[in-house]
């Protein structure tokens, strides 16, 4: 969780340098998320913010790997094992987040490139979100296949992995779909004012009127 927090803090620091406020960082079972106070208005800002997280994870992996090597040289086997696992966790965290499916960092990087090329944020978000939803479906299918294979083998070796892929796939599919709906809503209402949607003269009745 400290590694995930460092990953999300790197997003936040780059966001702060680009005048994008971060309201909070939330850690949960699948990772973490830095909640922005407003939308990013330039594709290059999105690119820098998205790339910062995986970069921080890879830097942590190098640091833990170097410490693991030092522990191994000094004959500290138990410490070496823990540091190796931390290095591997950060490599996995950085690599998984680089998968080009929104709302993962790789999906945001993909969206920034599409946004830079087309100039259309909604269309770019739709393409990146579809990639994220497709990835979610693939993970769910893979998880279901592992569960079925485990049922036939009756060894229980891949049941947990299958369930994990199933949950991550469902979460990613839901997040990608929700992220696109939110982006579409923001783009459709960006030029509107309250007065554009306000309807005056709402009917009212007296408090004493019988229902």
């Amino acid at each position: 969780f400290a590694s995930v927090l460092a990953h999300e803090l790197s997003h936040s620091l780059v966001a702060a340098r680009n005048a994008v406020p971060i309201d909070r960082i939330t850690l949960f079972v699948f990772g973490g998320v830095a909640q922005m106070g407003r939308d990013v208005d330039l594709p290059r800002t999105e690119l820098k913010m998205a790339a910062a997280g995986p970069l921080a994870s890879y830097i942590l992996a190098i640091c833990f790997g170097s410490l693991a090597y030092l522990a191994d040289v000094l004959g500290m086997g138990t410490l070496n094992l823990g540091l190796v696992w931390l290095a591997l966790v950060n490599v996995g965290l950085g690599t998984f987040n680089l998968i080009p499916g929104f709302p993962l960092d790789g999906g945001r990087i993909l969206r920034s490139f599409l946004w830079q090329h087309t100039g259309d944020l909604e269309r770019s978000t739709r393409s990146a979100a579809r990639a994220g939803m497709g990835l979610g479906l693939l993970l769910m299918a893979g998880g279901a296949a592992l569960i079925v294979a485990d049922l036939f083998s009756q060894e229980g070796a891949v049941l947990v992995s299958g369930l994990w892929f199933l949950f991550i796939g469902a979460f990613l599919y839901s997040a990608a779909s929700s992220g696109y709906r939110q982006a579409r809503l923001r783009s459709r209402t960006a030029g509107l004012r309250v007065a554009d949607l306000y309807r005056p003269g709402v009917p009212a009745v007296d408090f004493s009127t019988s229902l």
Side-chain angles (χ1 to χ4, degrees), residues 7-8 11 13 31 38 40-41 57-58 71 73 94 101 112 114 124 133 138 143 147 150 162 168-169 176 199 205:
H7 180 106
E8 297 302 330
H11 288 310
L13 289 173
R38 68 171 180 83
V40 178
D41 50 10
S57 294
Y58 286 135
V73 170
S112 70
L114 294 174
S124 302
M133 292 166 68
L138 283 175
I147 292 172
D150 188 82
I168 291 178
R199 186 177 66 182
V205 295

Side-chain angles (χ1 to χ4, degrees), residues 185-186 188-202:
L185 179 63
R186 287 194 296 265
R188 299 288 174 85
T189 58
L192 296 176
R193 301 170 300 165
V194 173
D196 297 323
L197 301 176
Y198 170 67
R199 186 177 66 182
V202 178

